[in-house]
Amino acid sequence: MTEPVTMVDTPIRLDYSYTPGVASSRFLRSLERGEIVGQRCPRCHKVYVPPRGACSMCGVATEEELTLTGKGTVTTFCITNVPSPGLVPPYVTAWIRLDGADITSMFLVQECEPADVRLGMRVEPVWVEESEREANMGNIRYFRPTGEPDASYDDYKDYI
Ligand SMILES: [Zn+2]
């Protein structure tokens, strides 16, 4: 008697090319320099990171650029207990509102116990070595706690 088939490994691969456009190219080049550049809407003054070249709310071009400090605040997070390639569980992914930005971005949070991650936690990016940087988001390895006091609820309540 043979055992029933219950699992099949099926390696898959997807190659693709991405054409980022002017705003995203400038953003990706800023990451290559170890900076995070956003763009401000001239009408509603929201700051977009990463910038897309236009405000999605106002429909106008965003040309004013500003360099953020890179520090931010955890607004939402998830502790994952399932293995993922390159990540040992448990690990934390968080939506982080970078200081000066009006939208959040998702990053890993490390250099602390997952149980210590909390809403309002202040974090900063850990960059790959300068010699290894390329024009992509992989330049930010993860975020880590700054040790600063937590942000006040009013600072991030609209981003939860
Ligand atoms: Zn706008």
Side-chain angles (χ1 to χ4, degrees):
M1 184 171 159
T2 59
E3 295 292 320
V5 175
T6 58
M7 183 177 289
V8 176
D9 286 334
T10 308
I12 57 172
R13 179 186 167 117
L14 179 62
D15 293 318
Y16 61 93
S17 296
Y18 170 68
T19 303
V22 174
S24 291
S25 291
R26 293 179 64 82
F27 170 73
L28 294 170
R29 292 289 178 211
S30 77
L31 292 177
E32 199 169 28
R33 297 189 305 271
E35 298 177 344
I36 301 174
V37 168
Q39 288 186 336
R40 185 190 324 267
C41 172
R43 189 171 294 167
C44 71
H45 306 293
K46 285 189 175 187
V47 174
Y48 291 89
V49 180
R52 296 292 183 232
C55 176
S56 59
M57 301 302 289
C58 304
V60 298
T62 53
E63 296 174 355
E64 179 190 354
E65 290 190 345
L66 57 159
T67 301
L68 307 183
T69 66
K71 288 185 178 180
T73 300
V74 172
T75 63
T76 305
F77 68 95
C78 174
I79 300 173
T80 302
N81 290 295
V82 177
S84 184
L87 296 170
V88 178
Y91 60 89
V92 177
T93 49
W95 286 96
I96 294 169
R97 180 188 181 203
L98 296 172
D99 293 356
D102 288 293
I103 57 174
T104 57
S105 301
M106 190 171 69
F107 295 97
L108 294 169
V109 175
Q110 297 185 351
E111 293 192 31
C112 63
E113 292 299 320
D116 292 337
V117 177
R118 58 200 178 274
L119 303 189
M121 181 183 225
R122 299 284 296 151
V123 290
E124 63 187 0
V126 174
W127 298 82
V128 300
E129 292 298 321
E130 195 171 336
S131 61
E132 299 171 17
R133 290 187 193 150
E134 299 176 341
N136 64 53
M137 291 294 286
N139 292 330
I140 298 175
R141 296 174 58 206
Y142 55 83
F143 276 70
R144 68 182 172 199
T146 64
E148 299 169 317
D150 288 357
S152 73
Y153 178 66
D154 285 339
D155 289 344
Y156 62 89
K157 68 181 181 186
D158 295 333
Y159 300 88
I160 295 176

